[in-house]
Amino acid sequence: MNLKTLKEERFISSPYIQPKRYTYEYKGKKYSWDFICAKDSVSILLYHVDLQSFVFVKQFRIPLWHYQTSLKEYKENKNLGYTIELCSGLIDKNLSIEEIAKEECIEELGFHPKKLEKINEFYSGFGSGVSKQNLYFAEISQKDKLSQGGGIDAEEIEAVYVKVVDFEEFTKNIIRNSLLDYSYFWFMKEKAKVYNLA
């Protein structure tokens, strides 16, 4: 990401989010609630059986960068704005969720998983805007590697391989959301014995 070209502009409209305001009355007083309508999404926990590793995504996120640089304790850092995430994508195509999930795996990481297993689904942002997150698991190997990945358009995605046994140490010093940890705990409960990791 070339930060020299990054600038804030006046928000008018977007195909991805839509600001909303509702007003209501309670005990004779008028109130309002502002929130954002956003698209649902899908995320995939990828486990590479040959390497006994998770395959995550490292990606620059402008909202995170904005948040970090707005903090009082802000200090310049080459890792500002970068997160470690599950492979993910918006549900914005006329395809099944599973088809979109596999497409994202190919686009971002170059892997084409043969089979997806549904882990769970969640709702996020109850106060600021609700969207549904669909979470899947997929086993992959080098035989499933079709391309280098890296994302499309302006995405600059880097694959990050983390040994299952190193996950807890790895996450001590990274920016992540709770889905990464939830996925790990699910894996350790449901899959660790399957892969002789427990």
Side-chain angles (χ1 to χ4, degrees):
M1 170 64 71
N2 183 1
L3 294 180
K4 292 181 179 179
T5 66
L6 187 61
K7 64 178 180 179
E8 184 175 357
E9 296 188 0
R10 181 171 173 267
F11 180 87
I12 299 175
S13 64
S14 168
Y16 306 108
I17 61 172
Q18 185 178 9
K20 292 280 189 181
R21 169 172 289 176
Y22 274 71
T23 60
Y24 59 97
E25 291 187 5
Y26 180 69
K27 293 183 178 181
K29 188 175 180 180
K30 188 175 181 180
Y31 296 89
S32 66
W33 197 295
D34 300 334
F35 61 94
I36 293 174
C37 291
K39 295 181 182 295
D40 293 340
S41 59
V42 60
S43 295
I44 312 95
L45 173 63
L46 292 170
Y47 175 68
H48 196 300
V49 292
D50 301 331
L51 304 176
Q52 293 187 318
S53 299
F54 299 122
V55 188
F56 299 136
V57 163
K58 182 177 180 181
Q59 188 172 9
F60 182 81
R61 296 294 197 180
I62 293 175
L64 174 62
W65 174 88
H66 171 78
Y67 173 82
Q68 291 173 320
T69 55
S70 299
L71 295 173
K72 290 181 179 179
E73 60 269 28
Y74 162 69
K75 291 182 180 180
E76 187 60 43
N77 185 315
K78 66 178 182 179
N79 291 316
L80 285 176
Y82 284 93
T83 66
I84 302 296
E85 310 173 19
L86 299 179
C87 177
S88 303
L90 295 176
I91 300 175
D92 58 356
K93 301 172 184 175
N94 189 26
L95 298 170
S96 71
I97 297 176
E98 289 79 7
E99 288 173 322
I100 292 175
K102 289 183 178 181
E103 193 174 82
E104 290 296 333
C105 291
I106 296 170
E107 290 177 359
E108 295 189 355
L109 297 167
F111 287 99
H112 184 206
K114 297 180 179 67
K115 182 181 177 182
L116 294 171
E117 178 181 344
K118 183 73 172 282
I119 297 178
N120 214 326
E121 57 186 45
F122 309 89
Y123 292 87
S124 62
F126 291 125
S128 57
V130 177
S131 62
K132 185 164 71 173
Q133 180 90 43
N134 299 272
L135 180 59
Y136 286 84
F137 169 76
E139 174 190 302
I140 55 172
S141 71
Q142 280 305 111
K143 294 179 181 178
D144 301 313
K145 187 75 170 174
L146 301 182
S147 67
Q148 286 300 110
I152 59 173
D153 299 328
E155 293 179 323
E156 293 182 3
I157 289 174
E158 177 185 337
V160 178
Y161 294 79
V162 180
K163 294 278 189 185
V164 174
V165 295
D166 295 334
F167 178 86
E168 293 186 24
E169 185 67 26
F170 172 76
T171 54
K172 287 181 179 179
N173 297 301
I174 63 167
I175 298 293
R176 67 196 190 281
N177 64 21
S178 57
L179 199 59
L180 203 72
D181 294 82
Y182 176 91
S183 300
Y184 168 72
F185 293 133
W186 174 89
F187 179 90
M188 295 306 293
K189 179 182 177 182
E190 302 292 338
K191 298 294 181 180
K193 289 183 179 179
V194 176
Y195 297 112
N196 297 315
L197 295 169

